[in-house]
Amino acid sequence: PSPSTRTRRPTLGGVLAAAAGLILFAYFLRRAGVADVADGIGRVGWAFLAVVALQGLRFLIRAAAWLRCLEEPHRLTLGQAFQAVMAGDALGNLTPLSLLVSEPAKAMYLLHREPLKRTLPALAIENLFYTLSAALVIASGLVALFLLLRPPGALWLATTVLFSTVVMLIVVFHWIIWRRVPVASGTLAWLGRRGVAPSLLARVAARCRMLESHVYDLYPRDWSRLLPVVALESSFHVLAILEIFLVLSLISGQRLTILDAFVFESTNRFIQVVFKFVPLRIGVDEAGTGMFADLLAFGTAAGVTLAIVRKARMLVWMALGMAVLVRRGLSVEQVLSTSSPTDDVALVVMARSA
């Protein structure tokens, strides 16, 4: 490891993001009313255990999808992959480094069972499926939101076009991988041949070609592997919708539908994507969910309470994830110094950022 990877200190941006998040949290907690939020949390009561269990099932689903993307034979069990997902999620939520820590940590946790060159590319494929499913949820939620708000026809048409475009892009993306079309490396090589930084683009195109080859080789090409991964990633989002439906039905006096819960989940997914760099998304979740709940007439207090309950659930699983990390003897510095220079980590980050 280089000296820069041995001592990772909080950056100014990370400190400012955390401070802004705390200010947002305090502001929206006061705006919602501390008493109302406390009353809502009290209504959840023992149902919080069900919320924690639903999150555990979602981790189990991501672990199962990861194993489905791993080439046979391997020595991993679902329980081991589940612990690795817990550990990676804990680090990702705790640090502003997010993807640079969380995804490699999952593979490093299993290093005693399988090498990184096998687990990381499989993790990249699973992240690709997750990213595409999340994009579809966000786009679908936008359509559902306009359906709930009943906007003018022109706006509804624009939303429908946006949703159709996202679906089409997802289909095209999968087609490109299925047909092994070298889009990224081919484009870079074409630009290099046209005189645009030829030496630099030649090197970048070579690395990009290797990453594309990893993805194409590991992409499930038979329906017996492809459909289970799609079904598992879809189930991940279904459980998140059920979690929101459960919590809102307990804390809100408003009539609640599955469509409402779906729109809340798509909003939450969008917040996670955009504000991943904020540790625990402190303040951001409360602000976004509170304003959104107010927009849908559930009230700011219901939205802030929902965000706090979900954050409490996150803290429970973070504690469990850190516990398994300590048992394995892994730290943030080890994850960064051991895996950040590798091409396989770049592959995971590229897939998750797609």
Side-chain angles (χ1 to χ4, degrees), residues 56-329:
L57 284 175
R58 294 169 71 200
F59 283 150
L60 195 66
I61 284 171
R62 292 291 302 274
W66 182 14
L67 289 182
R68 280 284 182 175
C69 296
L70 190 63
E71 288 184 333
E72 297 284 355
H74 60 77
R75 298 182 298 161
L76 299 182
T77 65
L78 182 58
Q80 292 166 344
F82 172 70
Q83 292 180 42
V85 171
M86 273 200 309
D89 185 79
L91 282 181
N93 287 321
L94 189 63
T95 68
L97 298 170
S98 187
L99 296 179
L100 293 178
V101 176
S102 63
E103 304 310 304
K106 296 176 185 178
M108 287 187 63
Y109 184 87
L110 300 174
L111 193 56
H112 66 296
R113 303 290 295 178
E114 290 289 339
L116 296 178
K117 64 182 180 180
R118 284 176 53 82
T119 52
L120 272 173
L123 186 60
I125 296 298
E126 190 277 326
N127 270 279
L128 177 62
F129 275 96
Y130 167 76
T131 301
L132 293 175
S133 67
L136 187 58
V137 166
I138 292 172
S140 303
L142 182 60
V143 175
L145 174 62
F146 285 122
L147 180 63
L148 288 173
L149 298 179
R150 293 180 175 83
L155 190 55
W156 168 252
L157 178 61
T159 307
T160 305
V161 170
L162 174 63
F163 174 74
S164 302
T165 302
V166 171
V167 173
M168 182 184 68
L169 288 175
I170 291 175
V171 172
V172 169
F173 201 88
H174 278 287
W175 180 84
I176 287 173
I177 296 176
W178 192 275
R179 303 288 296 183
R180 304 180 71 92
V181 180
V183 175
S185 60
T187 302
L188 292 173
W190 182 83
L191 289 173
R193 290 194 297 269
R194 295 300 183 277
V196 180
S199 58
L200 173 62
L201 288 187
R203 294 194 301 270
V204 176
R207 287 179 65 90
C208 196
R209 191 176 299 110
M210 182 176 60
L211 295 179
E212 287 174 328
S213 178
H214 273 305
V215 173
Y216 297 157
D217 290 341
L218 286 169
Y219 187 84
R221 294 185 173 275
D222 56 279
W223 293 109
S224 63
R225 290 184 63 204
L226 180 62
L227 291 181
V229 175
V230 173
L232 286 167
E233 299 294 354
S234 301
S235 300
F236 176 87
H237 298 293
V238 170
L239 289 177
I241 295 168
L242 290 178
E243 176 190 81
I244 291 178
F245 187 88
L246 171 64
V247 176
L248 278 180
S249 64
L250 292 172
I251 66 178
S252 175
Q254 298 285 79
R255 180 177 173 272
L256 179 66
T257 66
I258 288 293
L259 187 61
D260 293 320
F262 174 72
V263 173
F264 268 98
E265 168 55 19
S266 67
T267 304
N268 178 263
R269 197 60 40 196
F270 177 77
I271 292 172
Q272 286 192 22
V273 170
V274 176
F275 297 99
K276 192 72 175 175
F277 63 93
V278 179
L280 292 175
R281 293 184 302 281
I282 184 72
V284 177
D285 275 339
E286 289 74 19
T289 312
M291 290 189 294
F292 192 74
D294 196 39
L295 175 66
L296 295 183
F298 284 93
T300 305
V304 173
T305 304
L306 173 63
I308 291 176
V309 170
R310 288 166 68 97
K311 190 168 273 77
R313 171 263 288 160
M314 182 193 302
L315 290 172
V316 170
W317 283 103
M318 278 182 60
L320 294 173
M322 295 305 295
V324 298
L325 271 173
V326 170
R327 187 180 65 180
R328 180 69 69 224

